[in-house]
């Protein structure tokens, strides 16, 4: 029948198909399988208005099926034919169902592009002014879908479509208002559209819309549009100058809006007139007084409004404007709302606002700290996170706010937050505690609450932000001997040390600073050196990309507590570096060469390298077991004698053996005995703790200097006498240029072999050159 040559038959067939497919989706699928879409596509281009209208009705309803739309996307003539039905010459029924078809088709991106390329946006905008609400609904829905594409956002402004969309906010139908707000939210993502909306006073319209209780279900979407507009400083200034910002704050906090000037009141009444109906002046005043009745806004509206303020406040100029209207008071009031999502959004707004120093002080004065501290104990994860962020910003460079946090008992929940499941909450808590540590009294209070132990787990976190903030907090609190000892005993040094190898610059920098603070104590510095701190920091300082001032300071602090390493790596000591017992000089290390401890040098067999010079001026201490070769030979000789006696006793048994066999057996027994003695020596050395080799000669030198040189009157006399004394003990003065003729190497080598060790106490050296004398003078 659709292929019938009679237009009346075609018309009735299309009408019957429309009624049939409107009943169920299965019916649509059935007609699709029967090939009805190609016939309908031809009929919507028919010259007969009735056929065209009925075919359009069936075509529009059929487009609700996904498989139908898939077929239509393959027909190039589909979109142009449907757009043509939006022409002014067509009746409202054609407009309604062609717009319905386009609303279904525009869900697909390729169809959006086709509609745009076929200039479909202009007739759609024209249909927005239709008197038929169904036409308006289908048209604005299509436009809302198309505005997801940036090209359509530009085109709707050029075609002056924003004004028509704004007019739909006065519609009697909520669905049309909702779709208009969705369209505006997408359109205002474009900065030029925000400017156009501002010029047509659309911001005031949105504010009044939010202030109308009858539209409470749509307030959330209006706030979303407003949030986009408030990204611009110009929009913020406009809405402030018109009093709209104050009204918005009043609506959100459920208080009466501030009184307006007569001029502004007149404008407001004019806007309301378009929204309601054409009434006389008395009806306008009644409408105004009814709008002023206090009707609480929905929690979702409060939430989105707070988020809109937080978003706008990211701009420094906007923060200043928002502060002038005291928007912080609104946010503080919302912290007490029963909905945790509203609380979290308000705290987020305060967190952004508190980046402004003036707002920071005002929030503290307006009692905003106490509810934020209470939120730290909330069961709502996001509330804990954003409240800690707000406190982190509020306590930055603000001693008063830090005291407020302490007064309201915020220390304990902050420390508990260091073990929270949300990583950013941990980082924020560490920042708050670090900010509070600048005051000695607060720092002591926090230390007593166990912050040192609580910081260790965050240091082990896999999140680089948490690592960086925890390392900075550790640096702030390990500032005395007791806390450093607690930190070391609790196992905090190892995770802190691992952060030196982090790929994050902030984490590596803060870890270096914390190590600088920790290395003040000699035991802590020694532990860090055992972990390889000197080698890692050296590597960092040699890198052009990873090096920073803190890593250099950390390396310097570790070396100041390990003067042997400092002298070996740098070849010099400063005036403030005092040599103590246990100092040793292994010689200048080459780049990349590992620095060993004294015990390792003592265990090494004697070689041809330069001797390690040891300083130990404590008299009467037992020496470290460095067995001389004579002792070993004596043991071997004694064993040989025992072996000889044993062999003589068994001489009769070995008479029958040849001389070669007897010599082979003797050598084998000697080797076994040598191995047994060596194992015994190793076991004794492993079981005994390392004892620093004593140097009684050096101890005597120190006593003589204290007795004869220290009492001299002037520093010059003391230095001169000490230099002469040093030269005398090291073989006497050497003429300039005669060092090569001064025999010093052979006596020192003899000392090494007499001691059977590469480590030689400085006092045993009687012939020394410049570096021997420099160390003795420094001692």
């Amino acid at each position: 029948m659709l292929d019938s040559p009679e237009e009346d038959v075609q018309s009735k067939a299309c009408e019957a198909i429309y009624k049939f497919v409107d009943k169920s989706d299965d019916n649509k699928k059935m007609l699709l399988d029967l090939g009805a879409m190609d016939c309908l596509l031809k009929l919507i281009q028919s010259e007969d208005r009735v056929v065209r209208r009925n075919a359009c009705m069936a075509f529009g309803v059929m487009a609700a099926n996904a498989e139908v739309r898939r077929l239509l996307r393959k027909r190039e003539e589909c979109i142009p034919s449907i757009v043509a039905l939006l022409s002014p010459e067509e009746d409202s029924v054609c407009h309604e169902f062609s717009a319905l078809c386009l609303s279904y088709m525009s869900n697909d991106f390729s169809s959006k592009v086709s509609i745009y390329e076929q200039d479909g946006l202009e007739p759609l905008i024209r249909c927005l002014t239709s008197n038929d609400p169904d036409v308006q609904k289908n048209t604005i829905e299509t436009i809302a879908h198309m505005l997801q594409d940036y090209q359509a956002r530009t085109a709707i402004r050029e075609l002056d479509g924003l004004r028509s969309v704004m007019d739909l906010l006065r519609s009697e139908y909520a669905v049309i208002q909702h779709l208009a707000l969705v369209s505006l939210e997408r359109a205002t993502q474009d900065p030029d559209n925000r400017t156009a909306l501002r010029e047509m006073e659309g911001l005031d319209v949105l504010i009044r819309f939010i202030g109308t209780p009858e539209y409470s279900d749509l307030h959330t979407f209006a706030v979303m549009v407003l949030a986009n507009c408030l990204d611009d400083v110009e929009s913020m200034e406009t809405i402030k100058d018109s009093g709209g910002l104050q009204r918005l704050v009043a609506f959100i906090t459920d208080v009466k809006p501030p009184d307006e000037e007569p001029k502004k009141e007149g404008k407001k009444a004019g806007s309301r007139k378009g929204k309601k109906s054409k009434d006389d002046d008395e009806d306008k005043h009644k409408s105004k007084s009814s709008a002023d009745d206090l009707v609480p806004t929905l929690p979702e509206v409060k939430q989105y409004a707070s988020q809109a303020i937080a978003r706008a406040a990211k701009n420094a100029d906007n923060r200043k404007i928002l502060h002038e209207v005291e928007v912080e008071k609104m946010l503080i009031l919302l912290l007490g709302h029963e909905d945790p999502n509203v609380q979290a959004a308000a705290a987020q707004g305060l967190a952004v606002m508190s980046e402004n120093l003036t707002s920071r002080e005002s929030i503290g004065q307006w009692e905003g700290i106490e509810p934020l501290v209470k939120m730290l104990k909330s069961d709502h994860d996001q509330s804990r996170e954003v409240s800690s962020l707000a406190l982190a910003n509020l306590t930055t460079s603000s001693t008063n706010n830090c005291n407020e946090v302490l007064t309201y008992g915020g220390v304990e929940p902050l420390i508990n937050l260091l073990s929270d499941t949300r990583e950013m909450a941990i980082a924020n808590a560490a920042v708050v505690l670090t900010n509070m540590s600048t005051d000695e009294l607060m720092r002591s209070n926090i230390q007593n609450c166990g912050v040192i132990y609580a910081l260790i787990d965050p240091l082990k976190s896999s999140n680089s932000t948490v690592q960086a903030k925890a390392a900075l907090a550790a640096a702030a609190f390990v500032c005395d001997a007791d806390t450093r000892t607690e930190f070391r005993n609790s196992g905090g040094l190892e995770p802190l040390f691992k952060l030196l190898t982090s790929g994050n610059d902030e984490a590596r920098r803060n870890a270096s600073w914390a190590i600088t603070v920790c290395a003040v104590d000699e035991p802590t510095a020694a532990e860090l050196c055992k972990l390889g701190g000197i080698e890692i920091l050296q590597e960092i300082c040699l890198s052009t990309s990873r090096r920073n001032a803190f890593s250099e300071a950390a390396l310097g602090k570790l070396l100041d507590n390990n003067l042997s390493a400092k002298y070996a790596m740098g070849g010099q000591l400063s005036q403030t570096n005092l040599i103590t017992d246990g100092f040793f000089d292994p010689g200048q290390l080459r780049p990349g060469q590992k620095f060993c401890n004294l015990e390792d040098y003592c265990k090494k067999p004697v070689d041809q390298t330069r001797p390690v010079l040891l300083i130990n001026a404590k008299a009467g201490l037992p020496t470290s077991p460095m067995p001389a070769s004579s002792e070993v030979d004596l043991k071997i000789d004694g064993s040989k004698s025992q072996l000889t006696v044993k062999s003589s006793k068994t001489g009769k048994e070995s008479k029958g053996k040849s001389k070669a066999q007897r010599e082979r057996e003797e050598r084998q027994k000697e080797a076994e005995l040598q191995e047994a003695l060596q194992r015994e020596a190793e076991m004794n050395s492993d079981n005994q703790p390392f004892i620093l080799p004593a140097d009684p000669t050096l101890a005597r030198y120190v006593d003589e200097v204290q007795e004869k040189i220290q009492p001299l009157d002037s520093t010059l006399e003391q230095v001169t006498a000490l230099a002469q004394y040093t030269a005398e003990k090291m073989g006497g003065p050497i003429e300039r240029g005669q060092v090569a003729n001064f025999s010093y190497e052979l006596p020192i080598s003899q000392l090494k072999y007499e001691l059977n060790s590469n480590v030689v106490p400085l006092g045993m050296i009687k012939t020394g050159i410049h570096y021997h004398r420099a160390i003795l003078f420094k001692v």
Side-chain angles (χ1 to χ4, degrees):
M1 294 177 69
L2 292 175
D3 293 330
S4 173
E6 299 182 16
E7 295 175 347
D8 186 51
V9 174
Q10 292 175 343
S11 173
K12 292 185 181 299
C14 288
E15 184 178 2
I17 288 175
Y18 161 70
K19 294 178 180 179
F20 178 72
V21 297
D22 194 36
K23 291 182 179 180
S24 69
D25 204 54
D26 292 337
N27 293 351
K28 299 182 183 71
K29 181 68 171 58
M30 183 187 300
L31 279 178
L32 174 66
D33 295 338
L34 293 173
M37 292 308 300
D38 289 331
C39 298
L40 290 173
L41 186 57
K42 291 179 183 178
L43 293 179
I44 63 174
Q45 305 172 52
S46 173
E47 295 180 358
D48 186 82
R49 292 175 62 89
V50 177
V51 173
R52 197 164 58 242
R53 183 195 63 191
N54 291 348
C56 180
M57 292 169 57
F59 200 86
V61 176
M62 284 287 290
N65 185 276
E67 295 185 19
V68 171
R69 294 197 298 272
R70 189 179 302 113
L71 174 67
L72 294 179
R73 284 196 293 271
K74 298 177 183 179
R75 303 290 189 268
E76 293 182 0
E77 70 275 16
C78 175
I79 298 296
S81 301
I82 300 172
V83 171
L85 293 173
L86 295 172
S87 64
E89 293 78 14
E90 301 292 342
D91 58 20
S92 60
V93 176
C94 281
H95 291 168
E96 175 187 346
F97 285 95
S98 58
L100 176 65
C101 180
L102 289 177
S103 68
Y104 288 132
M105 296 291 292
S106 59
N107 278 309
D108 181 73
F109 178 77
S110 61
S111 297
K112 289 186 183 74
V113 176
S114 298
I115 297 171
Y116 175 79
E117 291 176 348
Q118 297 298 326
D119 298 325
L121 195 57
E122 184 177 1
L124 284 169
I125 293 173
R126 187 171 56 247
C127 289
L128 290 176
T129 58
S130 172
N131 294 325
D132 189 337
D134 290 325
V135 175
Q136 291 180 336
K137 184 263 179 186
N138 294 338
T139 304
I140 190 62
E141 186 173 6
T142 305
I143 291 175
H145 291 161
M146 292 189 65
L147 285 172
Q148 291 175 323
D149 180 36
Y150 74 95
Q151 291 179 319
R153 295 172 196 161
T154 303
I156 196 172
R157 180 182 69 255
E158 295 173 350
L159 296 171
D160 196 24
L162 290 175
R163 192 178 301 277
S164 300
V165 176
M166 288 292 297
D167 290 340
L168 292 182
L169 294 180
R170 295 177 295 183
S171 172
E172 298 177 359
Y173 300 95
V175 64
I176 295 177
Q177 292 176 316
H178 169 246
L179 290 170
L181 289 170
V182 171
S183 300
L184 288 172
E185 192 275 331
R186 292 171 180 170
T188 51
Q189 292 176 18
D190 183 278
D192 293 331
N193 286 345
R194 295 198 290 267
T195 302
L197 194 66
R198 184 170 65 248
E199 291 173 353
M200 66 177 67
E201 298 183 355
L203 297 178
D204 286 339
V205 174
L206 290 169
I207 294 293
R208 286 194 292 272
F209 189 91
I210 295 172
T212 306
E214 291 83 357
Y215 304 148
S216 60
D217 292 342
L218 301 172
H219 285 170
T220 299
F221 302 99
V223 169
M224 290 181 180
V225 180
L226 201 59
N228 288 342
C229 296
L230 294 182
D231 282 348
D232 298 333
V233 179
E234 296 83 1
S235 298
M236 184 68 75
E237 290 175 347
T238 301
I239 195 174
K240 172 180 173 286
D241 294 340
S242 66
L245 194 55
Q246 293 90 330
R247 294 201 304 274
L248 175 64
V249 171
F251 295 145
I252 299 304
T253 51
D254 302 329
V255 298
K256 186 177 180 180
D259 294 334
E260 299 177 339
E261 296 176 2
K263 184 178 179 181
K264 293 179 182 176
E265 186 174 324
K267 286 183 181 179
K268 184 175 180 182
S271 298
R272 287 288 175 86
K273 178 180 178 181
K275 219 180 240 194
K276 300 291 183 180
S277 60
K278 294 183 178 180
D279 300 326
D280 55 15
D281 293 340
E282 185 179 4
D283 291 335
K284 291 177 184 177
H285 289 297
K286 289 180 181 179
S287 175
K288 179 179 182 301
S289 60
S290 64
D292 286 341
D293 293 340
L294 299 181
V295 178
T297 53
L298 297 175
E300 291 80 4
V301 180
K302 299 179 189 295
Q303 176 185 347
Y304 281 103
S306 300
Q307 291 174 350
I309 289 172
R311 176 177 162 184
K314 291 179 180 179
N315 183 291
D317 295 330
N318 283 348
R319 282 200 297 272
K320 183 179 178 182
I321 296 172
L322 289 168
H323 176 66
E324 290 174 0
V325 298
E326 298 181 347
V327 75
E328 298 94 337
K329 286 185 177 179
M330 178 199 89
L331 296 171
I332 292 172
L333 186 63
L334 292 181
L335 290 178
H337 197 274
E338 59 184 8
D339 191 327
N341 292 318
V342 176
Q343 295 176 0
Q348 184 180 3
L350 287 173
V352 182
M353 286 296 297
S354 57
E355 293 180 15
N356 186 353
L357 179 60
T358 310
S359 296
R360 211 177 297 162
E361 296 173 352
S362 299
I363 293 170
Q365 293 171 0
W366 292 333
E367 300 180 353
I369 303 293
E370 184 178 5
L372 287 171
V373 171
K374 290 180 179 178
M375 287 177 65
L376 295 175
K377 307 173 187 177
S378 172
D379 294 332
H380 191 248
D381 292 345
Q382 189 180 5
S383 295
R384 294 196 305 273
E385 180 176 333
V386 293
S387 61
S388 62
L389 175 61
L391 289 174
N393 292 340
L394 285 168
T395 54
T396 301
S397 303
S398 178
T399 307
N400 292 334
N401 288 346
C402 289
N403 284 322
E404 290 284 312
V405 175
L406 181 66
T407 302
Y408 292 117
V411 173
E412 190 172 341
L414 283 169
I415 292 177
N416 292 335
L417 213 58
L418 292 175
S419 57
D420 198 83
T421 55
R422 294 178 76 99
E423 292 178 331
M424 293 313 300
I426 299 173
N428 296 335
V431 172
V432 180
L433 293 169
T434 303
N435 293 339
M436 296 175 69
S437 69
T438 55
D439 182 85
E440 186 176 355
L441 181 61
M442 282 189 279
R443 184 172 64 246
S444 177
N445 193 314
I446 296 170
Q447 287 171 340
N448 293 334
C449 292
V451 69
I452 300 297
Y453 183 78
L455 283 171
I456 295 175
D457 283 340
L459 289 173
K460 300 176 183 177
S461 172
S462 58
N463 186 292
S464 58
T465 303
V466 175
Q467 293 173 347
K469 304 305 181 185
L472 189 61
F477 286 104
V478 291
C479 52
D480 57 75
D482 293 337
T483 52
R484 283 191 287 268
T485 302
E486 181 184 355
F487 188 68
R488 184 175 68 250
N489 294 338
S490 300
L493 292 179
E494 188 171 353
L496 181 64
F497 170 75
K498 288 181 179 179
L499 294 185
L500 291 176
T501 59
S502 172
N504 182 272
D505 292 340
E506 185 183 6
R508 192 169 57 251
R509 183 173 59 248
N510 292 349
S512 299
W513 175 239
I515 286 176
T516 304
V517 177
C518 290
V520 172
D521 287 343
E522 187 174 347
T524 307
E527 187 69 26
L528 287 168
C529 290
K530 288 181 181 179
L531 293 171
I534 293 177
E535 290 79 5
I536 293 295
L537 287 169
Q538 261 192 317
E539 182 183 343
I540 293 173
C541 291
L542 291 174
S543 171
T544 55
S545 59
R546 295 189 295 160
R547 181 177 55 201
N548 58 73
F550 294 108
S551 62
E552 294 174 356
L555 178 60
K557 188 63 68 175
L558 282 181
L559 292 178
D560 283 341
N561 281 281
N562 194 336
L563 296 182
S564 301
K566 182 176 184 179
Y567 191 58
M569 293 176 182
Q572 61 182 5
L573 298 176
S574 65
Q575 294 179 353
T576 56
N577 295 141
L578 302 179
I579 290 179
T580 57
D581 295 322
F583 175 86
F584 60 96
D585 172 25
Q588 186 78 34
L589 297 181
R590 294 186 299 273
Q593 187 176 357
K594 185 179 180 182
F595 176 79
C596 302
N597 57 35
L598 182 61
E599 186 175 357
D600 293 335
Y601 284 116
C602 287
K603 290 180 179 180
K604 285 183 178 180
V606 179
D607 52 30
Q608 300 297 324
T609 59
R610 204 202 84 166
V612 178
L613 304 180
L614 172 65
I615 306 301
N616 184 18
K618 291 182 179 179
L621 287 176
T623 60
S624 177
M626 292 193 299
S629 57
S630 56
E631 296 178 5
V632 176
D633 294 341
L634 184 62
K635 289 183 178 180
I636 294 174
D637 292 341
S639 302
K640 282 183 178 180
S641 61
Q642 293 178 7
L643 183 62
T644 305
V645 172
K646 192 176 289 186
S647 298
S648 62
K649 289 182 180 179
T650 57
K652 294 179 181 179
E653 299 174 5
S654 59
K655 269 185 181 181
K657 296 182 181 179
S658 65
K659 183 178 180 181
Q661 288 177 334
R662 288 197 299 272
E663 289 178 355
R664 194 182 305 112
E665 290 178 359
E666 288 177 3
R667 283 197 301 270
Q668 185 178 355
K669 289 179 180 179
E670 286 180 7
E672 293 175 356
L673 181 61
Q674 184 75 16
E675 291 178 3
L677 290 173
Q678 188 174 353
R679 284 197 300 270
E680 183 180 355
E682 289 177 356
M683 289 177 61
N684 291 335
S685 62
D686 291 340
N687 294 333
Q688 293 178 0
F690 177 74
I691 303 173
L692 197 65
D695 190 355
T697 306
L698 183 62
R700 189 175 71 251
Y701 289 170
V702 173
D703 293 338
E704 289 178 1
V705 169
Q706 290 176 344
E707 181 181 349
K708 298 177 181 179
I709 299 177
Q710 192 171 7
L712 295 178
D713 296 334
S714 65
T715 304
L716 180 59
E717 291 178 358
Q718 290 177 343
V719 171
T720 304
L722 185 59
Q724 292 173 350
Y725 183 86
T726 300
E728 177 188 343
K729 298 302 181 183
M730 284 292 171
I734 305 175
E735 295 294 333
R736 189 179 298 274
Q738 298 298 317
V739 177
N741 299 325
F742 184 75
S743 178
Y744 71 95
E745 293 180 339
L746 183 59
I748 293 177
S749 296
Q750 290 175 346
L751 281 174
K752 287 172 59 177
Y753 283 97
E754 287 176 6
L755 297 171
N756 194 31
S757 174
N758 289 317
V759 179
V760 177
L762 184 63
M764 299 181 69
I765 298 176
K766 305 302 180 185
T767 54
I769 58 172
H770 55 279
Y771 65 87
H772 303 101
R773 301 181 184 212
I775 293 178
L776 183 60
F777 185 87
K778 180 74 173 174
V779 172

